[in-house]
Amino acid sequence: MMREPLWDKILTIKPDFQDEMEYVEQELCKSIPDATPKTLYDAARHLIMTGGKRIRPALTILAYDAVENKGNGIDYIAPVANAVELIHTATIIHDDTIDQSFLRRGVESVNAKWGPNTAI
C-alpha cells in the first residue's frame, strides 16, 4: 500500500506508520458494507477499492500524533481518518459527475459506470 517516497521518510521517525495505514485501509474497506440497494453500495465502494495515495488519512494520523496523541492506539483515530477519506471520495464522485468525466484513477468513474443519478 505504501507507494509514496514520502512514506519512507515518515517511517524513519514513525516506524509503526505503515502498520497504521494498513489498519486504516482495512477499516476503510469495511466502512461500506454489502447491503441493499446493492447498486448504491457497489457504486460507493468503487473508488474506495481502487486505492489511491490516502494522503488525507495519513495527514490526519500524523496531525493527531503531533498534537493530541495521549497513548491511544490507531483504532482511536482511524474512524476520523476514514471519515476524511470518505468525504474526499464523495467530492471526487461529485466532481466527476459535474465534469462528466469517464475515468478516475485509471478506472471508470462512478458517473460513467452507474450513471449520474446513482453518482448523485
Side-chain angles (χ1 to χ4, degrees):
M1 165 150 162
M2 306 287 270
R3 296 180 296 256
E4 297 297 310
L6 174 61
W7 293 166
D8 292 336
K9 293 177 184 170
I10 294 169
L11 286 169
T12 63
I13 58 171
K14 186 172 174 43
D16 59 345
F17 182 67
Q18 184 166 348
D19 292 338
E20 290 177 346
M21 287 299 295
E22 287 173 4
Y23 176 80
V24 166
E25 184 72 18
Q26 291 168 4
E27 293 300 302
L28 185 61
C29 290
K30 288 193 263 181
S31 68
I32 304 173
D34 281 326
T36 55
K38 184 169 177 22
T39 301
L40 182 62
Y41 285 90
D42 287 347
R45 269 194 307 278
H46 180 65
L47 281 182
I48 293 296
M49 301 308 280
T50 63
K53 296 181 291 286
R54 304 292 195 233
I55 192 73
R56 287 152 195 87
L59 290 174
T60 302
I61 291 166
L62 294 172
Y64 173 73
D65 284 348
V67 299
E68 185 62 33
N69 191 342
K70 296 180 177 146
N72 296 313
I74 186 62
D75 56 328
Y76 184 80
I77 193 62
V80 177
N82 285 335
V84 170
E85 187 67 9
L86 288 170
I87 291 168
H88 170 64
T89 301
T91 66
I92 287 173
I93 293 169
H94 178 266
D95 184 52
D96 289 346
T97 303
I98 297 299
D99 295 344
Q100 298 178 348
S101 298
F102 294 106
L103 289 176
R104 172 64 68 170
R105 299 178 185 155
V107 298
E108 271 186 300
S109 67
V110 171
N111 177 59
K113 191 166 183 166
W114 285 278
N117 289 340
T118 299
I120 291 168

